[in-house]
Amino acid sequence: MIKDSYNRRIDYLRISITDKCNLKCVYCTPSKGLRNFADAEIMTDGEIVRFVRIAHKHGLRKVRITGGEPLLRKNILDLISAIKQTGIHDLSLTTNGILLPELAGELKNAGLARVNISLDTMDAERYRAITKGGDIRRVLAAISEAERAGLSPVKINVVPIRGINDDEILSFAALTLEKDYHIRFIEFMPVSSGETWQKEKCVSAAEIMEIISPLGSLESYEFKGKGPSRNYRIKGAKGVIGIISPVSDHFCGFCNRLRLTSNGKIRPCLFSKVEIDIKTPMRNGASDDEIEELFLKAVKIKPERHLIKENMDSPDRINPMSKIGG
Ligand code: SAM
């Protein structure tokens, strides 16, 4: 078990396995000027698995695969299975769902425990507009297939944005009355080169709570292990509502994670530009001990808290989520 300089136990790694995406969500990907990494810049399966194995020796228990769109990666099933074999206890993946319907069963067999599926609207036309061309029927099929495959509980990520989909907050929350989904509202964060971002468009956790209050009293619902999500259950509901509020109320005191970008940089905090390159040393023949040193350094320099609020208006905000790994 490893702790950082602020006594937080670091046991969770989010790995971006590609920066490519098959959707271009208006709030995530800038419409121009974004260059994808060349194939040679992307970590290989062997490099990713090697890093996970080294981190696992220091108590890494939880891995989430993300991107870009992780299901675009060739041999995704082999990669999932190799990561699982390092001994990772809890292996999950965040996806837009477009490629999931045909892969859900195989992903489960390869060792994946759960999926988060991103869905910001239940309206087909609006979905097409937000994602710049996505077909919502694929995502709805993905949710059913994930349930059928036992990739559960199925978590649905919703980013409410004022004037775009905030009128659907109540109906997303109401889904939990009948379905055992976990609906996770994520505050709109100031990432990307700022086409959609305006701080007025961020619907705060407090507003979300207010909007869903007509559905009934909310009971606090805790999961094993601390995470950024504050979780609630409407009295009598089957599912759970989670609210993640990095903007209005940072949760850094509970942060247990590091990120590994698709081009091989460890990022101790999503909102800091500080990164530690592990791919170059690996390709230059670094030993496991040397990579371990870099992992330990990343844990050590993890900042106490992020500075989203302070940097919200800066034109030099952090890279789009597709580049870092959402
Ligand atoms: N392609 C996958 C997907 O769509 O879930 C994984 C990558 S995506 C970057 C991961 C998550 O980041 C999605 O749920 C997306 O809604 C969220 N995201 C992207 N940009 C965001 C922003 N500016 N604020 C909050 N969440 C954001």
Side-chain angles (χ1 to χ4, degrees):
M1 169 168 114
I2 182 161
K3 288 195 170 175
D4 71 3
S5 311
Y6 302 94
N7 208 29
R8 294 170 297 199
R9 181 176 170 175
I10 305 300
D11 60 3
Y12 180 17
L13 178 67
R14 295 175 75 102
I15 308 176
S16 173
I17 60 171
T18 177
D19 63 332
K20 297 197 179 84
C21 193
N22 45 2
L23 298 177
K24 298 279 169 279
C25 297
V26 288
Y27 63 89
C28 183
T29 312
S31 57
K32 43 184 188 296
L34 195 65
R35 179 190 77 87
N36 282 128
F37 295 130
D39 287 351
E41 291 176 84
I42 298 282
M43 294 277 277
T44 64
D45 287 6
E47 289 162 345
I48 294 171
V49 174
R50 182 178 174 202
F51 182 70
V52 172
R53 189 169 38 72
I54 290 167
H56 182 251
K57 274 191 3 199
H58 289 277
L60 181 71
R61 292 285 169 271
K62 224 177 135 176
V63 168
R64 174 172 294 276
I65 305 295
T66 180
E69 174 46 43
L71 299 184
L72 285 175
R73 181 144 173 152
K74 287 194 198 95
N75 303 330
I76 176 73
L77 297 172
D78 294 339
L79 179 57
I80 294 283
S81 151
I83 292 175
K84 182 69 189 168
Q85 280 166 30
T86 61
I88 291 301
H89 172 70
D90 183 359
L91 180 56
S92 60
L93 176 141
T94 300
T95 173
N96 58 35
I98 298 290
L99 298 174
L100 187 61
E102 294 75 17
L103 280 172
E106 288 176 287
L107 286 164
K108 178 76 186 178
N109 292 340
L112 193 71
R114 283 172 290 107
V115 283
N116 283 39
I117 299 176
S118 302
L119 179 65
D120 299 308
T121 174
M122 290 188 253
D123 178 83
E125 269 318 303
R126 191 179 269 187
Y127 184 78
R128 206 185 309 282
I130 292 175
T131 59
K132 299 212 182 135
D135 180 353
I136 198 170
R137 289 171 302 182
R138 297 288 303 164
V139 191
L140 300 178
I143 294 171
S144 310
E145 289 305 318
E147 280 182 284
R148 200 194 312 269
L151 290 169
S152 51
V154 173
K155 297 187 181 177
I156 300 179
N157 286 2
V158 185
V159 180
I161 303 178
R162 206 179 308 285
I164 293 189
N165 62 346
D166 54 326
D167 54 345
E168 295 188 61
I169 292 173
L170 189 66
S171 37
F172 269 109
L175 277 180
T176 63
L177 293 171
E178 298 301 327
K179 293 282 195 178
D180 63 356
Y181 302 149
H182 289 202
I183 303 291
R184 293 157 57 91
F185 295 107
I186 308 171
E187 282 179 348
F188 183 27
M189 296 183 275
V191 294
S192 159
S193 42
E195 287 168 15
T196 308
W197 168 257
Q198 286 165 4
K199 60 181 173 217
E200 299 71 31
K201 289 191 178 172
C202 173
V203 184
S204 70
E207 286 175 87
I208 295 170
M209 294 289 279
E210 177 68 32
I211 292 169
I212 63 182
S213 62
L215 293 174
S217 63
L218 291 177
E219 297 163 349
S220 240
Y221 179 93
E222 288 310 327
F223 296 117
K224 273 186 279 165
K226 288 181 182 156
S229 181
R230 304 243 163 95
N231 300 308
Y232 306 92
R233 199 193 279 280
I234 300 167
K235 211 168 187 321
K238 294 196 173 128
V240 173
I241 297 170
I243 303 183
I244 305 179
S245 51
V247 180
S248 67
D249 175 21
H250 73 83
F251 42 72
C252 307
F254 298 125
C255 190
N256 57 350
R257 63 194 57 187
L258 297 179
R259 291 169 191 264
L260 180 60
T261 65
S262 56
N263 64 336
K265 312 265 168 71
I266 315 174
R267 195 179 252 255
C269 170
L270 172 61
F271 291 97
S272 152
K273 289 187 172 173
V274 175
E275 294 180 330
I276 294 180
D277 182 5
I278 56 158
K279 184 190 68 190
T280 310
M282 277 188 182
R283 292 187 183 177
N284 288 339
S287 65
D288 280 3
D289 285 350
E290 286 165 317
I291 301 300
E292 189 170 330
E293 279 305 309
L294 295 173
F295 166 74
L296 296 175
K297 181 174 169 199
V299 172
K300 189 156 180 234
I301 64 170
K302 187 172 167 61
E304 184 174 17
R305 56 171 292 241
H306 67 61
L307 298 173
I308 294 188
K309 271 198 178 145
E310 291 79 347
N311 295 336
M312 207 180 264
D313 298 315
S314 154
D316 185 30
R317 289 189 300 270
I318 64 162
N319 289 331
M321 298 284 264
S322 59
K323 280 281 167 214
I324 307 165

